[in-house]
Amino acid sequence: MEKIADYQLLLQLGEESLGRTYKAETPSRLGVAAQYLTIKIRKRLVNDEGFSKLCLHLATANSVQGPHVAQIYDVGQEGDYIYVASEFFDGGSLEKPALPLSRVDVLSAVSAAAQGAHELHEVGLTHCAITPGNIMVSEPAKVTDISFLNILSPGQILAGAQDTTPIEFQSPERIQGQPTSRSSDIWALGTTLHKVLTGHSIFPDLPDETLLSSVRHILNTKPIMSDALRNGERRIIERALDPDPSERFETAAQMSEAIAAEAKRQEEAGVE
Amino acid sequence: MSNINFCEGQIHRGAGIVARWPGIALVIAKRQKNDHEAIAELFTTLGNNPEPQQLADIIEPHLDSIISLGYVAHTFNGLEAYVTGPIQIVVDGKIAVIGPDESVTQTTIDYPSQQLTIVSVQAPNSEPVIPYDLRHGVAPGGALTLTNFADVQQFPDLVDTAIAKKHHAKVVEEEMQSSIDTVAPQIQQSEDETQYKSVLMPTVNPLDLRPLPIADQGSNELDIGRVEVTGILCPRSHFNNPKASFCMICGVSMAHLTHDPVLGPRPTLGFIIFDDGATFGLSRSYAIGRNPDKPDDPSVEVLRLYEDNETISRDHAWISLDDWSVKIVDKGSTNGTFIWDEPNQTWDQLNVDEPVEIVSGTTIALGRRAFVYESVEQQASD
């Protein structure tokens, strides 16, 4: 694919089961100063009502009071495809950073992402898809790619076998079909923090034969903390991953503060 | 803001019925002959934990047989007062609402600082029976006085939170419905004359949503169709299927418990995983098809299924939650709905409009698509 609508696609940034994400040149009609933007394209048949719901949902995400959520510029539909154009980040994501990051940088980025999640919660939304790939490295770091799966298909938990949100980042209660909440995003922040600090999943033995076997594994297995974690990091992650959602951090802002405090401790201790 | 939940409920003598639930105090003051069945039906409909916001809607179909009823309910709009028949609501010594005969008065009143009484107009000065304190339940009586509001401030506003949690999803839905007309996509044409729709985000007014409730159970999901069912509580008060051997939440054994039935919102029964990995939670029923009509029943959601060879009918099948069971129903599809019979290694076609209960692990085929049903209950007890 070279173009959609009036967007010239320059570079493919990612691929999922339902579509692709590209770097594109910013059309002048948007009135946006940035030369480039990120455009997410999904093959999806959406009627007018579904398209309007999607626009309202993303406009609400855009209305957050704070700098920790990536801006969305344009939502559109061409044929069987819908697209979402949003802010582009030179620094890459925590999954694929453009430059090496120190441990303190990583902690600070996840702290900022938790603040971004909190900003969404304060306007009544959940992110539902927090992963290392959706935390963009900038100053400050921002969360991007808010999920709209459940807006287009109420009740849907996972988009597909190659979901944009790998199943390990979905809270067990969410996999069971419970509604999304502050605490389900807090779980995702905990699993993300573990992954970016250690390089390992909290479910190291997650089977990959079928999605069903993965789901069964997560619902019947406790998360395993890596020995590579420092004590302060471990305490934060364990609290975020408490099986009882009401025992997790009450808000993502509280989790953000705890991570920021740990980053400060490590910075003062000279941790690389 | 105060609320009406952490005060005493003192019952007055009388031939009526008084009731309290979280956020609600209700009195049926004047009885008619032979109204037992109507009252029993009303309380069955109200259940163990009726919704303050929906109380009037629940009650009104029963008013032909119930001639004198009043309640106060803690709603988003404040303290709602409702009277029909010769009944009055007295707040801190002053009549706030007085009911005319044969009509309904529904209004918002000030929260009491000292005392609130729901009482018959004919016996306004009756004294409460002390020391009985009705907090949650139904009892015989002629009037109900809520008092000792001074203690309210000592408690966290638990019920406000509970109401907020339950209603957040509904607010999202209503906001979306009322705002959909405001999104007007621009039809654009690119250089190669391809038409596309575009909505610039700064031109769209966002939904005016409340912050998500603190702690678990809050939702931005369109989760407004939860149905109440009868279940049992595990020792940690998790709501379960009466037939469950283990709690579906904490996994503790349910054997050797006295299984007192209680009414509660039906929890998620499991999930279905399609052949492409798309996964849907079974907290609601689904009308499945290429483009099914949105059912009138709010507990049924549309599940659109795509298949290039068009083997899926427009309205193909329903996954239907019935009490604690999951059923599949073919809705007259062209290519049929099939259940995999593992022992005989065959696909059995369903008869049209005949629901068939399915168990965890069952594979269903719709045209050339298939899904597996997994029960949450089995996960916990494995």
Side-chain angles (χ1 to χ4, degrees):
Chain A
M1 186 176 262
E2 292 179 356
K3 67 180 281 294
I4 186 164
D6 55 348
Y7 293 90
Q8 291 298 326
L9 308 178
L10 303 173
L11 175 68
Q12 186 176 319
L13 301 173
E15 181 169 9
E16 302 89 25
S17 57
L18 299 174
R20 293 173 178 169
T21 304
Y22 294 88
K23 177 181 178 180
E25 255 183 83
T26 307
S28 58
R29 71 180 172 88
L30 299 190
V32 174
Q35 185 179 0
Y36 303 112
L37 47 71
T38 303
I39 186 160
K40 178 175 174 176
I41 302 170
R42 295 284 177 271
K43 185 168 185 182
R44 191 82 197 221
L45 295 171
V46 179
N47 59 20
D48 289 345
E49 185 182 336
F51 184 73
S52 293
K53 282 185 175 182
L54 172 65
C55 293
L56 287 164
H57 184 73
L58 295 177
T60 308
N62 243 18
S63 72
V64 298
Q65 301 294 314
H68 302 97
V69 179
Q71 282 294 296
I72 301 165
Y73 305 129
D74 181 24
V75 179
Q77 189 171 23
E78 181 184 312
D80 293 350
Y81 292 90
I82 53 175
Y83 69 80
V84 178
S86 59
E87 205 173 344
F88 177 75
F89 297 90
D90 287 326
S93 66
L94 282 187
E95 184 183 31
K96 291 180 187 168
L99 295 169
L101 300 174
S102 71
R103 201 170 186 88
V104 171
D105 290 338
V106 168
L107 286 168
S108 300
V110 180
S111 172
Q115 193 58 44
H118 182 72
E119 288 162 8
L120 289 168
H121 299 163
E122 290 300 292
V123 296
L125 303 180
T126 47
H127 187 288
C128 295
I130 295 171
T131 66
N134 286 339
I135 298 176
M136 309 312 293
V137 180
S138 65
E139 191 51 55
K142 300 185 183 189
V143 286
T144 187
D145 217 1
I146 179 172
S147 172
F148 48 80
L149 182 67
N150 202 43
I151 297 301
L152 300 182
S153 300
Q156 188 163 6
I157 304 164
L158 300 169
Q162 296 168 36
D163 201 298
T164 52
T165 310
I167 192 164
E168 67 194 82
F169 298 102
Q170 300 274 8
S171 65
E173 71 273 12
R174 176 76 188 126
I175 292 171
Q176 287 181 351
Q178 302 287 345
T180 58
S181 63
R182 289 180 190 256
S183 55
S184 57
D185 274 350
I186 287 169
W187 168 281
L189 286 161
T191 52
T192 295
L193 185 58
H194 187 279
K195 186 71 178 271
V196 292
L197 287 173
T198 67
H200 298 293
S201 166
I202 54 164
F203 295 109
D205 301 321
L206 194 64
D208 56 5
E209 314 84 76
T210 64
L211 183 66
L212 186 56
S213 57
S214 302
V215 166
R216 284 177 172 154
H217 181 85
I218 288 177
L219 294 180
N220 292 291
T221 311
K222 288 183 178 173
I224 297 173
M225 297 289 146
S226 166
D227 292 338
L229 290 172
R230 292 166 183 275
N231 287 340
E233 299 163 349
R234 178 188 299 273
R235 280 194 294 274
I236 292 167
I237 295 170
E238 282 179 343
R239 186 167 174 199
L241 302 186
D242 196 291
D244 182 347
S246 64
E247 294 296 317
R248 296 174 197 157
F249 292 96
E250 277 195 348
T251 67
Q254 289 177 5
M255 185 175 179
S256 171
E257 288 166 14
I259 301 169
E262 176 63 19
K264 190 177 178 190
R265 265 194 298 275
Q266 293 192 16
E267 190 170 27
E268 288 170 357
V271 175
E272 290 296 317
Chain B
M1 182 175 65
S2 67
N3 63 50
I4 59 167
N5 296 291
F6 300 108
C7 54
E8 286 182 18
Q10 297 178 346
I11 303 171
H12 302 236
R13 291 187 196 283
I17 291 175
V18 299
R20 279 187 80 189
W21 300 279
I24 298 170
L26 178 145
V27 172
I28 297 175
K30 187 177 177 184
R31 302 278 307 277
Q32 296 192 100
K33 285 183 181 175
N34 304 321
D35 62 0
H36 295 80
E37 280 186 20
I39 290 175
E41 197 177 307
L42 169 63
F43 280 96
T44 302
T45 309
L46 288 168
N48 199 37
N49 197 9
E51 180 58 60
Q53 303 275 139
Q54 296 168 356
L55 201 56
D57 292 341
I58 298 172
I59 286 172
E60 268 161 16
H62 300 268
L63 288 184
D64 284 348
S65 308
I66 298 172
I67 60 170
S68 179
L69 179 151
Y71 74 73
V72 291
H74 179 66
T75 72
F76 271 141
N77 298 323
L79 190 61
E80 180 181 281
Y82 181 107
V83 296
T84 179
I87 203 161
Q88 61 189 11
I89 296 175
V90 183
V91 177
D92 294 334
K94 294 179 182 171
I95 296 173
V97 185
I98 185 162
D101 289 344
E102 296 176 8
S103 66
V104 168
T105 302
Q106 187 174 5
T107 186
T108 304
I109 60 174
D110 291 336
Y111 280 87
S113 57
Q114 301 292 325
Q115 187 167 292
L116 181 151
T117 301
I118 307 170
V119 63
S120 166
V121 171
Q122 280 107 8
N125 299 317
S126 72
E127 289 297 317
V129 178
I130 295 179
Y132 195 84
D133 175 14
L134 181 67
R135 296 272 172 160
H136 190 151
V138 181
L144 182 63
T145 292
L146 305 180
T147 188
N148 282 342
F149 283 90
D151 292 336
V152 167
Q153 301 305 327
Q154 297 173 17
F155 293 89
D157 222 351
L158 294 175
V159 174
D160 281 347
T161 308
I163 292 171
K165 286 173 181 173
K166 201 162 182 177
H167 282 279
H168 188 271
K170 191 172 183 182
V171 171
V172 174
E173 169 77 346
E174 289 170 355
E175 281 282 346
M176 278 196 165
Q177 289 303 334
S178 63
S179 306
I180 277 173
D181 292 342
T182 67
V183 178
Q186 298 288 314
I187 305 299
Q188 307 266 10
Q189 192 162 310
S190 59
E191 287 175 2
D192 60 2
E193 299 186 349
T194 308
Q195 282 202 335
Y196 62 91
K197 281 198 286 192
S198 164
V199 175
L200 299 183
M201 283 294 97
T203 66
V204 181
N205 291 324
L207 300 170
D208 184 17
L209 300 181
R210 299 160 65 100
L212 290 179
I214 302 289
D216 62 320
Q217 305 302 318
S219 169
N220 76 336
E221 199 167 276
L222 310 182
D223 195 31
I224 58 173
R226 287 263 168 160
V227 172
E228 290 210 324
V229 293
T230 301
I232 54 173
L233 300 177
C234 84
R236 296 175 188 167
S237 297
H238 297 134
F239 189 60
N240 278 272
N241 185 339
K243 294 176 183 171
S245 304
F246 300 90
C247 172
M248 69 165 74
I249 307 295
C250 62
V252 302
S253 172
M254 302 289 281
H256 313 302
L257 295 175
T258 50
H259 288 175
D260 297 328
V262 293
L263 207 59
R266 179 169 52 210
T268 299
L269 299 185
F271 44 89
I272 52 176
I273 302 182
F274 280 87
D275 41 17
D276 63 352
T279 304
F280 293 80
L282 292 180
S283 57
R284 65 194 83 196
S285 301
Y286 290 100
I288 308 174
R290 202 173 65 249
N291 192 19
D293 291 329
K294 171 76 177 159
D296 294 333
D297 182 346
S299 70
V300 183
E301 193 52 71
V302 164
L303 196 165
R304 290 190 180 83
L305 207 54
Y306 305 107
E307 203 273 302
D308 289 341
N309 295 316
E310 297 191 355
T311 60
I312 307 291
S313 296
R314 188 168 181 274
D315 282 295
H316 198 111
W318 277 34
I319 281 277
S320 176
L321 307 190
D322 180 6
D323 203 22
W324 290 89
S325 64
V326 179
K327 294 177 177 175
I328 177 82
V329 191
D330 183 87
K331 302 302 281 187
S333 64
T334 305
N335 292 304
T337 303
F338 299 82
I339 293 185
W340 177 244
D341 180 350
E342 182 66 25
N344 296 313
Q345 299 285 295
T346 56
W347 287 104
D348 297 339
Q349 183 165 5
L350 299 186
N351 295 325
V352 175
D353 285 332
E354 285 186 18
V356 174
E357 186 170 343
I358 55 177
V359 297
S360 190
T362 302
T363 303
I364 306 287
L366 313 161
R368 291 191 181 175
R369 298 296 307 273
F371 67 81
V372 179
Y373 159 56
E374 284 286 299
S375 162
V376 173
E377 200 176 311
Q378 184 166 321
Q379 300 295 335
S381 59
D382 277 347

